[in-house]
Each structure stands twice: as C-alpha cells, then as structure tokens.
Amino acid sequence: MRRIAAVALTAGTLMAGMAAVGAPAEAAATGSWRPYNSYSHVAAWGSYKRASGNTYVTGYLADDKKNGWTACVRFKFTEGSKVYWSRFKIVGVAPDGTRYNFDGNAKVKISVKSTYGSHMWVQECGRNKKTGKYYYGKGKKIF
C-alpha cells in the first residue's frame, strides 16, 4: 500500500548581518494564509498563530493531477536581518519504505513553528520530476 506524506525541508537560519533585534511585545494573533495561485493543480491553505514570540503555521498542501510536477509550498519567516525558510512537498512512500516525489492526486497536512515572528511570506511552488528543479510563484506577505 502506498502512503503519502508531507516532508518539511528547512534551510535553517540564514544570517544576513549581525544587528541585534528585539521583538515587540505582542498579544496572541491568529489569521489565515493562502499563497497566490501561481500554478494550476497546486493548492495550499491554512492558518497561523503568533504567541510568545513564536509563529505556528498549520494547513494543507494539495495536488489534483498527475502532470510531471510535485506540489510544494514555501514559507519565509523574518526577524530583523535573520531569515528562516521552510518548504513542504508531497512525498510518496513505497511499500519497501522508499520515499519519492509524488505526482498525482493527494492532500497532506503541514505544520511548522518559527521563532521568527516579524514577518511571514508564503509561495506556491512545483518540483519538475524530470529535472528536479524547483520553480516558485510570486511570494505573498501574510504579515
């Protein structure tokens, strides 16, 4: 039996300067997110919560057609000059446990937590199964 899962690929923390930044005190804030519809047959949506200096994101990533592309979504979190990237793609799991980039009809649940909470962006993306290259749509600032 084939299983489908979302895999988070994080680039980790990228430092672009050494400035010290303090986060403003904030009350818990919630909202929804959805990237610009950059690619057909790819959809991503969900909600976020900002509390205690952290940003919690949950949602779904879906692909509705086998077309040579693996659906993915990418988040960017910032705090001053610090940046944290997190990307999710749909991954299939073969009966022997081998993982592969899934191409077809699927919907998976995704979640990520970031300690960077100044700004968050989201963008749809797709991974070409032939070349392995990722292609990104227009980024959308959520907050």
Side-chain angles (χ1 to χ4, degrees):
M1 170 180 245
R2 170 182 73 185
R3 293 178 295 172
I4 300 169
V7 172
L9 304 170
T10 57
T13 304
L14 302 175
M15 299 294 285
M18 298 303 287
V21 178
E26 61 186 50
T30 61
S32 62
W33 62 267
R34 182 180 291 269
Y36 291 119
N37 187 15
S38 299
Y39 299 104
S40 59
H41 308 294
V42 175
W45 66 95
S47 61
Y48 68 87
K49 178 180 176 182
R50 297 168 72 189
S52 303
N54 295 309
T55 304
Y56 303 89
V57 177
T58 60
Y60 293 93
L61 172 61
D63 190 346
D64 68 1
K65 184 176 184 181
K66 184 172 183 169
N67 58 0
W69 293 86
T70 298
C72 60
V73 64
R74 179 167 77 167
F75 295 93
K76 177 183 175 183
F77 301 93
T78 64
E79 187 76 47
S81 62
K82 298 179 283 187
V83 178
Y84 175 75
W85 293 93
S86 183
R87 181 177 61 203
F88 295 88
K89 65 180 177 177
I90 300 177
V91 172
V93 181
D96 66 358
T98 304
R99 293 177 174 226
Y100 60 94
N101 295 303
F102 186 78
D103 179 20
N105 192 357
K107 180 172 119 176
V108 294
K109 187 166 178 61
I110 60 174
S111 67
V112 63
K113 172 190 166 190
S114 176
T115 58
Y116 298 164
S118 292
H119 300 288
M120 179 178 103
W121 285 264
V122 64
Q123 57 189 152
E124 275 185 358
C125 54
R127 181 185 181 277
N128 185 298
K129 288 198 66 165
K130 288 182 182 175
T131 66
K133 288 183 71 175
Y134 287 92
Y135 294 88
Y136 297 95
K138 182 179 176 184
K140 183 177 184 181
K141 187 175 182 179
I142 304 301
F143 59 81

